[in-house]
Amino acid sequence: MRERLDPESVLREVAGLEGRIEELRRAAELPDADARATLDAALVELELAVAALRTVGGEQGGAAGHTAAAEDERRVLKSVFTDAPVPLFLLDRDAGVRRVNRQAADLLGTSTGYMAGKRFTAFCDLATRAPLRSQLAAVIRTGRRCRVPVRFLGRERPVDAVVTLARVWIRGEPDPMVVAVAGPTTTPVAPAPRSGTAPRSNSIPQGDSVLQGDSVPQGESVARGVDVAGDEAVASLVHRMDVMASVTEMLLDEPVFNETVAARRCARLLATELAEWVVIDLVPQRQADGGGQTAAARNGEGTPRRHVVMGPGEDEDAEDAARRISETDPEPGTLPWTVFETGQSDLRPHAEDLDLLGACSDGRPVLSTIGATSVLCVPVTDGDRAIGTITLAGSGEHGPFALLDLSVCERIGRYLGLVIRAARLYRRRAEVAATLQASLLPRTLPEIDGAELAARYTSATHGTDVGGDFYDAFPAKDGWGLVLGDVCGKGEDAAAVTATARHAVRLVSRWRADPAEVLATVNEALLTEDRFVTAVLAGIAPRGAGMRVTLGVAGHPPAIVVRADGLIRTAARGGVPLGLFGDFEAGLDTLDLAPGDTLVLYSDGVLDACDVTRRQFGRDRLLETLAAHASGPVDDMLGAVERSLLDFCDGDLRDDVSMLALRVLPPSLD
């Protein structure tokens, strides 16, 4: 039929032509693109362009001559849709599905109501969408029938078919429509599923017996179909329960929560079991600590960032695609952004919009890059708000995503969100503990004439509470003071007592030279606290070429003197911990240090460290390590003890470890 195109129609034709040409370009770039089909479609587009140019300014042909034929076609269509034994689709000029018959719905394993209103091309794989769209436009424009090879995305697996397209005129419709007839189909053998993958739905493959002439008796076929459907439904449900259990065990199998590890493990499992591609977007912790996500997003804060992209296998193309997708964050208008803002999950079994997941850095849509036709997206929630999204995308090789997949992923999103919340709380608490712990120790050690100082502090490997160990070196009334102590317990309460004990020792030592008197005064200050403190205090005073050390001990492991020749002397022990009794008495001792001698103070965490058999590091190993490094720098001596300790317990320290050492230097030549 020849028709004159008015300016509005010309603009519409040109816009449609441009859009279809762009789709053909994208389709040609797909790895499994049919070059011949794309070329044929391109030639059709050229023919349409020429035909449109020839009709511009032409006369409107009489449509009345087609009235009888159109009415006949309408009556034929009405009966055909009811009784035809082949799949039939009625499409509008924009390829929207107006109506389908039961056979067409069975072919795709869905319902007639579900398909109505959606794009016909949405039910085809990406490689055939663009050529099909061009052929539909050609049929609408020229009225010539054509046959197009199509790969339908069936519920269970793709179905290859040859579709015949024919233009029809229906009374009451301003534009012509298209009838699509799916001819004899061949259902290819589905690829071997990935390990653990089960069919995504509980429906049975349909269309084979109808379209290929299955010889099995009808009653037997129906019974067999019911059995197969029941078996597949059970297998599908059990598989998803296994996925849920695996995710739960995987996320909780971490003594110390780590959100990056949890997200990557979750993505890897989902990419193995439920989808070809998994993308996880999360709000960084510094942004997630703020207000609500919608207000934050408007202010440019609290926006999700791409965290993990996991694709199928490890081939070069998949890795390149994953890299490009990783370089782009969710943008407003994309599905992950919308799900994050609304907190509502979204399922697109047949994704029509190629820009649904945005575009890569090269401008190519993400869906085209990964060849995905089915998408679902769920929020990652921490119990209070959305902190990210999980997006699954598949090519349809195992059927489109279903509501059961959405339900499973929603639960996984909640699990992952709770783990991330715990990880962030744990990390925040660890940072606070580290900051508080640092404030309880001197930033730097002072310089003491004629002596060399060194210290080591190693926190326990379990837990995030502030430790109770402390040490300090400070000016005293008659020289210098060294103190090392350990508060009973951990946490903020212990930290408060630690600060009180440390600063009280420094303050009192300004006016009192005797360590016993200093400790007695500190004991009075700690009597009101709920925790006790063990400590050793050393008063250092010059004495000839060496130094005299006066020790006060309050229930703490005794100090050690390492002579320059490697001999070891252990100072006296004694006293009771501070803060327990009003009647306090410290253990006392006096030592003389010659040049090269080293005084070592340490916490009980050194002695109590255990190996896997629960043997303690003990006093003998400590003394042997100190003696072996008596001639080296004092910092190297403490480092050797630390390494020996960590090797002994395989890095698993159950208590904090602190050490403080002073070595007398030989007299200078000056």
Side-chain angles (χ1 to χ4, degrees):
M1 180 181 69
R2 185 179 177 86
E3 57 181 323
R4 183 172 64 85
L5 301 179
D6 55 33
E8 183 179 351
S9 298
V10 171
L11 291 177
R12 185 176 64 182
E13 292 288 343
V14 171
L17 180 63
E18 289 176 344
R20 295 193 300 272
I21 289 176
E22 178 60 27
E23 288 191 31
L24 286 173
R25 287 198 185 99
R26 294 176 178 177
E29 296 174 355
L30 293 174
D32 56 348
D34 187 340
R36 178 58 182 272
T38 304
L39 177 59
D40 290 344
L43 293 175
V44 168
E45 295 292 358
L46 288 175
E47 292 175 359
L48 286 177
V50 172
L53 290 174
R54 286 176 178 173
T55 57
V56 173
E59 295 297 329
Q60 173 79 26
H66 296 275
T67 302
E71 182 64 21
D72 290 340
E73 288 181 353
R74 184 185 64 81
R75 287 196 299 268
V76 169
L77 282 175
K78 185 175 181 179
S79 61
V80 163
F81 264 92
T82 303
D83 303 324
V86 293
L88 292 176
F89 306 82
L90 180 61
L91 316 176
D92 60 27
R93 68 175 301 144
D94 294 324
V97 178
R98 288 288 190 89
R99 186 176 178 183
V100 298
N101 68 353
R102 181 181 58 81
Q103 297 295 341
D106 290 345
L107 175 67
L108 299 182
T110 185
S111 66
T112 57
Y114 172 76
M115 298 183 65
K118 294 181 172 57
R119 294 284 184 130
F120 180 61
T121 52
F123 299 95
C124 309
D125 71 348
L126 290 183
T128 58
R129 285 185 184 183
L132 178 60
R133 193 181 296 276
S134 294
Q135 297 291 359
L136 283 169
V139 170
I140 286 286
R141 189 73 180 86
T142 67
R144 292 198 301 266
R145 297 185 178 186
C146 71
R147 292 166 59 85
V148 185
V150 173
R151 168 164 279 203
F152 287 112
L153 299 174
R155 181 177 291 271
E156 295 296 335
R157 55 182 182 245
V159 178
D160 292 329
V162 176
V163 176
T164 300
L165 305 174
R167 187 179 70 180
V168 296
W169 292 85
I170 299 178
R171 184 183 299 272
E173 293 290 341
D175 296 316
M177 305 186 76
V178 174
V179 172
V181 183
T185 63
T186 57
T187 304
V189 177
R194 297 181 298 276
S195 175
T197 302
R200 285 208 180 99
S201 75
N202 58 4
S203 65
I204 61 173
Q206 302 206 30
D208 291 359
S209 60
V210 173
L211 297 175
Q212 296 181 358
D214 197 335
S215 61
V216 178
Q218 184 176 4
E220 182 180 344
S221 176
V222 171
R224 184 181 62 183
V226 172
D227 291 341
V228 172
D231 291 344
E232 290 186 351
V234 173
S236 179
L237 184 59
V238 170
H239 173 63
R240 279 151 185 78
M241 292 176 62
D242 288 342
V243 171
M244 193 90 68
S246 298
V247 168
T248 304
E249 181 179 359
M250 174 193 66
L251 293 178
L252 297 179
D253 189 23
E254 279 291 319
V256 177
F257 294 123
N258 183 299
E259 68 176 89
T260 299
V261 172
R264 291 193 62 84
R265 287 184 175 181
C266 184
R268 184 177 296 108
L269 188 144
L270 290 174
T272 301
E273 301 293 343
L274 291 182
E276 284 93 351
W277 288 89
V278 178
V279 179
I280 297 180
D281 303 316
L282 296 174
V283 176
Q285 180 175 5
R286 62 181 181 277
Q287 298 180 2
D289 293 340
Q293 67 269 25
T294 303
R298 287 197 298 267
N299 297 324
E301 300 177 354
T303 55
R305 297 286 182 263
R306 195 123 292 165
H307 201 76
V308 177
V309 177
M310 200 74 67
E314 299 179 354
D315 61 275
E316 186 175 344
D317 291 340
E319 290 181 355
D320 180 64
R323 178 186 57 79
R324 284 186 284 158
I325 297 173
S326 300
E327 294 172 351
T328 60
D329 292 323
E331 297 181 353
T334 61
L335 185 63
W337 182 280
T338 302
V339 169
F340 169 73
E341 278 203 319
T342 63
Q344 300 296 318
S345 303
D346 201 334
L347 171 63
R348 306 291 178 91
H350 299 90
E352 302 179 42
D353 183 7
L354 290 181
D355 295 321
L356 192 63
L357 300 184
C360 298
S361 56
D362 59 1
R364 187 177 177 187
V366 171
L367 286 183
S368 294
T369 301
I370 62 179
T373 58
S374 187
V375 179
L376 69 80
C377 186
V378 299
V380 176
T381 60
D382 64 0
D384 295 327
R385 62 189 187 276
I387 59 173
T389 59
I390 299 176
T391 304
L392 271 60
S395 64
E397 288 297 327
H398 301 282
F401 294 118
L403 288 175
L404 183 58
D405 299 304
L406 187 70
S407 177
V408 169
C409 290
E410 284 179 335
R411 185 68 62 87
I412 291 175
R414 289 194 291 271
Y415 290 167
L416 179 60
L418 292 175
V419 169
I420 291 175
R421 179 181 183 178
R424 290 178 174 180
L425 289 174
Y426 187 93
R427 187 167 62 194
R428 189 183 305 120
R429 188 180 182 91
E431 291 172 353
V432 171
T435 302
L436 183 56
Q437 187 72 64
S439 69
L440 301 177
L441 302 174
R443 294 184 179 180
T444 58
L445 294 174
E447 294 184 2
I448 300 178
D449 290 340
E452 178 185 5
L453 275 178
R456 290 290 175 117
Y457 175 83
T458 307
S459 59
T461 53
H462 291 272
T464 59
D465 290 327
V466 183
D469 284 13
F470 68 94
Y471 63 83
D472 203 358
F474 48 87
K477 182 179 180 180
D478 293 335
W480 290 87
L482 303 181
V483 65
L484 189 146
D486 185 3
V487 177
C488 173
K490 294 180 179 294
E492 289 79 0
D493 292 342
V497 177
T498 300
T500 300
R502 176 193 169 197
H503 294 295
V505 169
R506 287 179 66 102
L507 183 63
V508 176
S509 295
R510 290 279 188 174
W511 289 276
R512 297 186 180 181
D514 186 358
E517 295 180 2
V518 173
L519 291 176
T521 303
V522 174
N523 179 70
E524 293 180 10
L526 295 178
L527 287 175
T528 58
E529 301 292 345
D530 295 331
R531 299 170 186 270
F532 64 85
V533 180
T534 66
V536 54
L537 174 63
I540 310 296
R543 182 179 178 85
M547 293 183 175
R548 169 154 288 190
V549 179
T550 304
L551 292 172
V553 184
H556 199 80
I560 295 174
V561 175
V562 183
R563 302 297 182 186
D565 57 5
L567 293 177
I568 299 288
R569 177 191 168 180
T570 300
R573 64 176 68 236
V576 294
L578 304 171
L580 287 179
F581 308 108
D583 185 13
F584 173 80
E585 184 175 353
L588 302 175
D589 200 354
T590 302
L591 307 169
D592 288 322
L593 301 181
D597 292 347
T598 305
L599 175 69
V600 180
L601 311 180
Y602 57 95
S603 66
D604 58 3
V606 177
L607 305 179
D608 296 341
C610 297
D611 63 7
V612 293
T613 64
R614 309 309 299 167
R615 290 183 306 159
Q616 292 185 335
F617 187 76
R619 179 172 174 273
D620 290 341
R621 288 187 179 84
L622 173 61
L623 297 180
E624 290 173 5
T625 306
L626 292 173
H629 295 82
S631 61
V634 65
D635 187 66
D636 290 352
M637 174 187 286
L638 297 188
V641 174
E642 184 180 57
R643 290 191 301 274
S644 179
L645 191 65
L646 292 174
D647 289 342
F648 178 78
C649 66
D650 197 23
D652 185 18
L653 285 176
R654 299 290 175 170
D655 194 8
D656 299 335
V657 168
S658 56
M659 295 178 286
L660 178 63
L662 176 142
R663 175 173 294 171
V664 179
L665 299 176
S668 63
L669 298 177
D670 296 340

